[in-house]
């Protein structure tokens, strides 16, 4: 079983001690400091979704007239207005699964995704990977990179990075998952050509080593178009690229979408520059912000509103509020035209132009997007 080292305990304390008012990204606090190996890239934010809504229906009371002692009839008490029958009202909320299942069937996903430990390619091909559980690291020019763990008697026994090629071949990558050999977490370059878990940087076209992440990197946050964001042992945050080297960042920059310089910080959409500056894409504060397109034009909220980032104009993707929508899971954007949303055991595609949705696949357990 992975054991937290003294260094990792120090890193945990340092990260909490140096946290900016915004707070550290949950995948750093929950995933990256979990133990002596890199954890699954499922962004396990503790999502509390939905609320219990009770509808109380009061039946009408039929009260008969009563007699006074003197025999004078007393007017009957009028019954209260009956509440609508549940059969005549729409539910206040719906679950993610019911919402997804009610949508019309659409075309297959145009990007590979994972169901449990099986990779599903856009052409429907299923590539099975040996292991107990798998997390998606990212999509590369060579195929989908996964972190695969194998349990023995319910206890984590081994882990490895795996490349699942679109042609169906599965191969282990020559990269260690031990933090002593690199950093916590692993990332894919914006163009999908390179991959690293800290330490060596692999060229995914031929598997050769083409670079090295700075030795001081303890936790990798994201590989943006501006460079790799990483944490060091004292909680300081740096931005590194081969061209510009390492530059210190002034506090927590935000959580960035895969391969983009656009990310989220509290209720704002922000952009990270190559100089390490973080600036808001617009002044709009988006309540319950979940994900943003790579260009920064569209944002998705946790209550399924599609928001124009520049204006704040919002459209609802569901007629009724949706519960059990686990927003720690990744959303995948097809440019600015559409997005794939994990909804329970279903994948749902929504158009940004029309704000309409269709189901892509499901129900299948353990869905994960790159």
């Amino acid at each position: 079983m992975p054991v937290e080292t003294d260094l990792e305990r120090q890193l945990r304390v340092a990260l909490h001690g140096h946290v900016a008012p915004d707070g550290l990204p949950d995948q750093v606090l929950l995933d990256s400091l979990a133990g002596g190996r890199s954890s699954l890239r499922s962004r396990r934010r503790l999502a509390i979704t939905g609320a219990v809504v009770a509808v109380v229906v009061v039946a009408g009371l039929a009260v008969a007239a009563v007699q006074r002692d003197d025999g004078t009839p007393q007017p009957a008490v009028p019954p209260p207005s009956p509440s609508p029958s549940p059969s005549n009202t729409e539910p206040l909320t719906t679950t993610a699964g019911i919402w997804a299942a009610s949508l019309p069937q659409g075309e297959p996903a145009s990007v590979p995704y994972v169901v449990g430990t099986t990779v599903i390619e856009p052409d429907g091909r299923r590539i099975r990977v040996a292991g107990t559980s798998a997390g998606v690291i990212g999509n590369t020019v060579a195929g989908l990179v996964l972190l695969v763990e194998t349990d023995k008697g319910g206890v984590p026994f081994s882990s490895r990075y795996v490349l699942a090629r679109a042609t169906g071949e599965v191969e282990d990558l020559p990269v260690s998952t031990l933090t002593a050999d690199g950093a916590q977490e692993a990332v894919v370059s914006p163009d999908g050509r390179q991959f690293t878990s800290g330490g060596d940087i692999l060229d995914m076209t031929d598997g050769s080593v083409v670079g090295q992440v700075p030795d001081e990197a303890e936790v990798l946050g994201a590989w943006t178009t501006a460079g790799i964001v990483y944490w060091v042992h004292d909680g300081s945050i740096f931005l590194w690229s081969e061209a510009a080297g390492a530059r210190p960042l002034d506090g927590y920059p935000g959580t960035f979408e895969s391969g983009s310089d656009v990310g989220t910080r509290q209720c704002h959409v922000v952009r990270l520059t190559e100089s390490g500056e973080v600036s808001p894409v617009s002044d709009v504060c988006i309540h319950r912000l979940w994900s943003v397109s790579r260009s920064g034009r569209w944002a998705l909220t946790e209550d399924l509103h599609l928001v124009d980032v520049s204006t704040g104009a919002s459209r609802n993707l569901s007629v009724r509020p949706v519960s059990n929508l686990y927003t720690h899971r990744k959303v995948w954007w097809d440019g600015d035209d559409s997005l794939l949303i994990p909804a329970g055991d279903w994948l749902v595609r929504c158009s940004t132009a029309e704000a309409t949705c269709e189901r892509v696949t499901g129900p299948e357990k353990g869905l994960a997007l790159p």
Side-chain angles (χ1 to χ4, degrees):
M1 178 182 296
V3 177
E4 188 180 60
T5 65
D6 290 339
L7 177 59
E8 287 163 345
R9 282 192 291 271
Q10 294 171 15
L11 177 58
R12 184 192 298 275
V13 173
L15 288 176
H16 280 286
H18 290 76
V19 62
D22 310 74
L24 284 172
D26 291 336
Q27 73 270 25
V28 173
L29 293 177
L30 297 179
D31 285 347
S32 300
L33 301 178
R37 68 182 71 236
S38 192
S39 55
L40 294 182
R41 295 283 292 176
S42 58
R43 297 180 183 262
R44 303 180 181 116
R45 298 185 178 95
L46 296 180
I48 301 175
T49 58
V52 177
V53 179
V55 179
V56 179
V57 179
V58 180
L61 301 176
V63 181
V66 297
Q67 298 286 331
R68 291 181 186 270
D69 290 342
D70 59 3
T72 305
Q74 181 174 320
V77 178
S81 300
S83 298
S85 169
S87 62
N88 297 328
T89 60
E90 290 291 331
L92 297 180
T93 64
T94 187
T95 67
I98 292 176
W99 170 67
S102 70
L103 298 172
Q105 182 66 49
E107 294 296 320
S110 59
V111 64
Y113 59 93
V114 169
V115 174
T117 57
T118 299
V119 176
I120 313 297
E121 292 291 333
D123 61 3
R125 179 182 310 177
R126 290 176 172 255
I127 305 172
R128 289 177 173 79
V129 178
T132 306
S133 59
V136 182
I137 301 299
N139 200 22
T140 74
V141 293
L144 203 61
V145 175
L146 310 173
L147 173 59
V148 179
E149 291 186 346
T150 301
D151 292 347
K152 187 176 183 179
V155 178
F157 181 71
S158 65
S159 62
R160 66 195 196 279
Y161 290 110
V162 172
L163 172 65
R165 297 184 181 274
T167 53
E169 293 90 354
V170 176
E171 59 188 76
D172 292 355
L173 293 176
V175 176
S176 173
T177 62
L178 297 177
T179 57
D181 299 328
Q184 297 268 8
E185 297 299 321
V187 289
V188 171
S189 65
D191 59 7
R193 294 181 59 88
Q194 297 177 344
F195 160 83
T196 185
S197 63
D200 291 342
I201 298 175
L202 300 184
D203 185 333
M204 296 305 296
T205 61
D206 58 12
S208 62
V209 176
V210 294
Q212 188 83 16
V213 174
D215 291 339
E216 65 178 0
E218 297 283 349
V219 179
L220 304 185
W223 197 333
T224 73
T225 52
I228 295 177
V229 177
Y230 67 85
W231 276 253
V232 300
H233 69 282
D234 66 355
S236 300
I237 311 172
F238 288 80
L239 176 67
W240 175 87
S241 67
E242 188 174 8
R247 294 88 77 197
L249 297 181
D250 185 16
Y252 166 56
T255 300
F256 291 88
E257 300 296 327
S258 178
S260 175
D261 60 349
V262 173
T264 61
R265 188 168 66 177
Q266 292 186 323
C267 67
H268 289 98
V269 176
V270 297
R271 190 182 302 275
L272 177 65
T273 67
E274 293 184 357
S275 64
E277 296 180 357
V278 179
S279 59
V281 173
S282 76
D283 295 330
V284 175
C285 176
I286 303 173
H287 181 59
R288 300 184 67 184
L289 181 57
W290 178 7
S291 182
V292 61
S293 65
R294 293 188 178 188
S295 70
R297 179 181 177 186
W298 298 106
L300 178 69
T301 68
E302 295 178 355
D303 51 359
L304 289 183
H305 281 78
L306 186 65
V307 181
D308 185 323
V309 174
S310 62
T311 65
S314 172
R315 293 169 294 166
N316 201 341
L317 297 176
S318 174
V319 175
R320 296 191 298 275
V322 175
S323 63
N324 298 332
L325 193 66
Y326 302 121
T327 53
H328 61 280
R329 297 163 73 182
K330 293 181 186 177
V331 172
W332 186 83
W333 294 81
D334 186 7
D336 286 324
D337 296 329
S338 66
L339 65 159
L340 287 178
I341 303 172
D345 295 334
W346 303 77
L347 282 184
V348 171
R349 178 190 294 109
C350 296
S351 164
T352 56
E354 301 174 357
T356 57
C357 301
E358 59 188 13
R359 71 178 185 273
V360 173
T361 189
E364 294 192 271
K365 296 290 185 181
L367 289 169
L369 290 162

